[in-house]
Amino acid sequence: MACEGSAAAFDDEAEPTVTIGEYIEGIEAEELEADLVLGGDDGKECTYGGGYLKRQAVFSCLTCVPAGVGGVCTACSLACHDGHEVVELWTKRKFRCDCGNSKFGGHLCKLCLEKDPENSANSYNHNFKGSYCTCHRPYPDPEAKEQVEMIQCCICEDWFHEGHIGLNSIEEIPQDEEGEPLYEDFICQKCSPDCYFLKLYPDTIWASRKQNSVSQASTTDSTVMDGGPSHGNIEKKENGALANHLNCENTSGDDNCPKDNTAPEKASLDDSSDGKCKLGMDISTNATLVDSEKKLPFFMSKGWREVICRCETCTNFYGERGVAYLIDKEDSIEEYEKVAKQRREKKLEQQEGAEENFLNSLDHVQKIEILSGINDMKNEFQSFLESFDSTKPVTSEDIKAVFENLAKKKRQRLS
């Protein structure tokens, strides 16, 4: 019995193993995640020449700019700030690379020497200093026992811990049973007053905690830090979505819930080619009538931006509120990641084409030599694994011996 217990304990302590296929899949998943964050940017050219890009990955170098009032592009973070204290900020909208300008104290950009002293249209928040949320903590937090997931506001682009967004409980966040988000965009309680005009729209634009059990579409979204959210088909059964998505009962006797507003019928939101307002009202007048006493965060359903009216009056109103980017398709994280995937697919196709062209350029003897080398390596590694003592670590001498044997076999084959 003692032997059986020892064997069981040994099995419990055994390290998990992975196959080569699983390892490769893991690497490819990490590469895809990186491409989604970087927008498919290969990091070879400074983006300064492109002006204020609608969205790009941005980094803050605290070695060069301790005050956190400067940001650099992917390429500059690699070429100009390698070894520095660099903070990854994920993506920012309408940002132009600062690397090497007057904020960097004489540290010149290696990729683009001609730059203006400052980029006046850039905006900086406390993220550039390495702090996030209303608690102003870093991410990852070295003092935290466990790293808590954070979500990004699509307006101010700050990141927030789920417990610090102004809700009574994180259970009020629209999520499925596995904790995956059922919303496309999040608007924090500080920014929601500037977006209260959204309450004039029907419930279809609001994410609900009620998940459609028939179908659920899953996509990757970088608006959740250190997580891959899924977007579900949203189902709501009442109007006044804000009350619903905050888990409030929409009854006349509940004074703690946001009041339901007379929203236009869904049919009035159909696209029209004559430039008429989808809402059928003056948004600048009616937005002031919406209850804004209690500042609450908003959770927006998938595709909500496509519903927003784009008539001249509404568009001007968005501009006055400073949120005109909400009707720009290229501003959304979903579109940013879509472009990133397209660039990745194109890059992989080019790599496959280069490999095929290389093989086609070889003569018959060279092709046979490559195939023989691959076969020798396969057999050598298989022989090594079969004879190797799995209780001992693999050393550099072991690896060196494998390649020495391969070189020996090659000399024998060519002699």
Side-chain angles (χ1 to χ4, degrees):
M1 295 294 292
C3 292
E4 291 179 2
S6 299
F10 181 80
D11 290 338
D12 291 339
E13 295 175 0
E15 294 184 1
T17 59
V18 295
T19 64
I20 292 295
E22 291 172 336
Y23 176 76
I24 293 175
E25 288 180 1
I27 294 297
E28 291 177 345
E30 291 178 359
E31 289 179 349
L32 174 60
E33 183 178 357
D35 279 340
L36 293 180
V37 174
L38 300 179
D41 187 353
D42 58 11
K44 295 181 179 179
E45 296 182 3
C46 176
T47 61
Y48 179 84
Y52 295 90
L53 300 186
K54 292 187 176 181
R55 185 165 294 280
Q56 67 171 314
V58 178
F59 302 80
S60 175
C61 181
L62 297 181
T63 301
C64 296
V65 189
V69 289
V72 303
C73 65
T74 300
C76 287
S77 71
L78 299 172
C80 308
H81 303 275
D82 184 32
H84 294 188
E85 184 183 355
V86 175
V87 178
E88 182 180 359
L89 303 176
W90 283 263
T91 70
K92 296 292 182 183
R93 69 166 56 91
K94 294 183 179 179
F95 197 90
R96 194 175 196 182
C97 181
D98 285 322
C99 181
N101 67 16
S102 61
K103 297 182 177 183
F104 283 74
H107 185 90
L108 300 179
C109 179
K110 299 178 182 178
L111 303 179
C112 183
L113 295 176
E114 298 296 328
K115 292 186 176 182
D116 293 337
E118 288 190 14
N119 296 312
S120 57
N122 280 354
S123 61
Y124 312 90
N125 60 13
H126 67 157
N127 295 169
F128 285 79
K129 298 179 182 180
S131 62
Y132 305 88
C133 190
T134 56
C135 60
H136 304 286
R137 295 299 303 166
Y139 187 91
D141 190 340
E143 297 181 5
K145 295 181 180 179
E146 181 180 355
Q147 300 304 323
V148 181
E149 192 173 82
M150 303 182 76
I151 54 180
Q152 187 181 36
C153 173
C154 70
I155 304 299
C156 66
E157 298 189 301
D158 194 2
W159 292 83
F160 298 86
H161 296 101
E162 293 180 341
H164 297 168
I165 59 177
L167 298 179
N168 295 324
S169 169
I170 62 174
E171 298 297 324
E172 298 174 5
I173 299 175
Q175 297 175 333
D176 63 18
E177 294 179 354
E178 297 180 355
E180 297 299 324
L182 295 173
Y183 55 90
E184 180 173 311
D185 282 318
F186 159 73
I187 300 177
C188 72
Q189 62 182 133
K190 181 180 178 181
C191 296
S192 63
D194 288 331
C195 299
Y196 260 79
F197 63 89
L198 293 174
K199 293 180 68 178
L200 297 172
Y201 285 84
D203 60 349
T204 52
I205 72 168
W206 304 98
S208 169
R209 292 197 304 117
K210 298 178 181 179
Q211 180 181 347
N212 190 329
S213 59
V214 177
S215 63
Q216 180 178 356
S218 299
T219 56
T220 304
D221 186 348
S222 292
T223 57
V224 177
M225 190 180 292
D226 195 26
S230 300
H231 298 309
N233 293 325
I234 307 305
E235 177 186 8
K236 292 195 63 58
K237 298 182 179 179
E238 299 178 39
N239 203 4
L242 194 61
N244 268 347
H245 91 265
L246 292 177
N247 198 27
C248 291
E249 292 297 330
N250 195 11
T251 60
S252 58
D254 189 351
D255 295 331
N256 294 324
C257 292
K259 300 296 187 296
D260 187 16
N261 295 280
T262 304
E265 296 296 329
K266 295 179 181 179
S268 68
L269 296 182
D270 291 341
D271 291 333
S272 59
S273 57
D274 55 6
K276 291 184 179 179
C277 179
K278 286 185 176 183
L279 292 171
M281 64 179 72
D282 186 346
I283 189 173
S284 61
T285 301
N286 285 276
T288 60
L289 301 178
V290 180
D291 176 25
S292 59
E293 292 181 1
K294 186 176 181 181
K295 295 182 179 179
L296 296 170
F298 294 167
F299 296 92
M300 315 308 298
S301 66
K302 183 174 176 61
W304 72 278
R305 295 192 187 210
E306 298 174 8
V307 177
I308 303 303
C309 181
R310 286 161 170 76
C311 75
E312 183 178 358
T313 299
C314 288
T315 299
N316 291 336
F317 177 80
Y318 305 148
E320 293 171 0
R321 289 293 182 99
V323 293
Y325 47 79
L326 291 180
I327 57 174
D328 184 351
K329 185 177 181 181
E330 295 181 27
D331 175 79
S332 69
I333 293 294
E334 183 178 12
E335 183 67 18
Y336 178 81
E337 293 184 344
K338 178 181 177 181
V339 173
K341 289 178 181 178
Q342 292 173 345
R343 290 178 177 175
R344 175 177 173 79
E345 291 174 359
K346 184 177 180 179
K347 180 175 63 177
L348 293 176
E349 289 176 359
Q350 291 174 342
Q351 290 176 351
E352 292 175 359
E355 293 168 358
E356 185 176 351
N357 291 336
F358 171 73
L359 290 176
N360 291 336
S361 68
L362 301 177
D363 59 31
H364 180 70
V365 175
Q366 290 172 321
K367 290 179 180 179
I368 294 297
E369 178 62 25
I370 288 178
L371 291 175
S372 297
I374 293 174
N375 190 56
D376 285 346
M377 179 173 288
K378 175 184 175 182
N379 292 336
E380 185 63 29
F381 273 112
Q382 184 174 356
S383 176
F384 170 77
L385 293 174
E386 290 175 350
S387 61
F388 185 74
D389 186 350
S390 60
T391 63
K392 297 180 180 179
V394 178
T395 66
S396 59
E397 292 299 321
D398 295 325
I399 302 300
K400 183 179 179 181
V402 169
F403 283 95
E404 285 179 349
N405 288 337
L406 286 172
K408 182 179 179 180
K409 289 181 179 180
K410 182 178 180 179
R411 288 194 297 268
Q412 291 174 348
R413 187 172 65 248
L414 297 177
S415 61

